[in-house]
Amino acid sequence: MKSLDSFPRVSLGVFPTPIQKLENISRLLHTNVYVKRDDLTGLGLGGNKVRKLEFLLADAKAQGAEVVFTTGGAQSNHAMLTAAAAGKLGLQAILLLKQRGVTDCVGNLLLERIMGTDVRFIDTDDYADIYAEMDRVGAALGRPYYKIPCGGSNPLGTLGYVACAKEIAEQGMAFDHIVCAEGSGGTMAGMALGAKLFLPGTRVHGMMVDREPFDEITPALMKAAAELLEAEMEITPADYLLRDVCGAGYAIPSEEGNAAVSLMAEQEGLFLDPVYTGKAFGGLLALAKEGAFRPEDKVLFLHSGGAGGLFAL
Ligand SMILES: *Cc1c(COP(=O)(O)O)cnc(C)c1O
């Protein structure tokens, strides 16, 4: 197997991120709950996309790109962090965002205005149209460009969370469960593959906050990332657990998610967001209620960031 260190990587964040015990939540849930503070990855307002961008933007630079395109919803944390990282690396970011009626200059759009980011809205729900538009704009600019998919969730971006699992192993604690949000899939797939490689005995739960076929997306990304690493392994459904916490739809707050945001804020002084981490933590609370965790278990919740979006809903 190839080492993660053999892949080009730019340094954007501050790692390792801390692991802290949530004492009050642990008491309430009668188990041991810890949080991996990937809201403190050290660029922009923090968040999971920083780990993926370290690999993706190294690849962009290696290919000689001057312009970086990415896409997402109007309040995409990924798009905002891509713009932040690109600026730091001297690359020009162009964001093609799905409008869906949202244009208020709040949350991540406000942060993009502060950075002077080139944000363009595109009136389609079809990512194929958006990637074609990137090629059109890129060709018209006549400068070398690099396309990052929605959420940075391609096999290379997925390595960011394989690296996170390795980092957790190196922090010297063993966990029975890891719980994370699953939006475009790379975070969960990387964590599940990384757990298989570096955290034997840890079960990884993907809390699905969107309506996509994650039962296909997750193993496909795991397999593709394993191939990049030249790791010989079978990926089976036993390697990942999925739970639907989407509610009425992606980026539509749910009652369970909002209750989880409040609980975390009241009990631990930490802020989750309504689109990803609140719904994911709501899923963790539901698992606890169903008796999925024993009193002696150690459960690690990935705080994947999302602060920008908290101010937009
Ligand atoms: C993008 C995002 C996620 C989901 O990660 P994916 O790799 O897209 O599945 C979770 N939390 C936050 C705050 C995010 O911005």
Side-chain angles (χ1 to χ4, degrees), residues 264-281:
M264 186 71 100
E266 288 164 14
Q267 296 293 327
E268 304 287 351
L270 297 181
F271 297 107
L272 302 176
D273 76 291
V275 180
Y276 295 99
T277 53
K279 286 182 177 177
F281 192 63

Side-chain angles (χ1 to χ4, degrees), residues 48-49 52 77-78 151 153 181-188 273 276-277 304-306:
N48 59 341
K49 303 309 180 314
K52 299 175 175 188
N77 301 306
H78 161 72
S153 285
E182 177 150 21
S184 60
T187 300
M188 168 62 186
D273 76 291
Y276 295 99
T277 53
S304 43

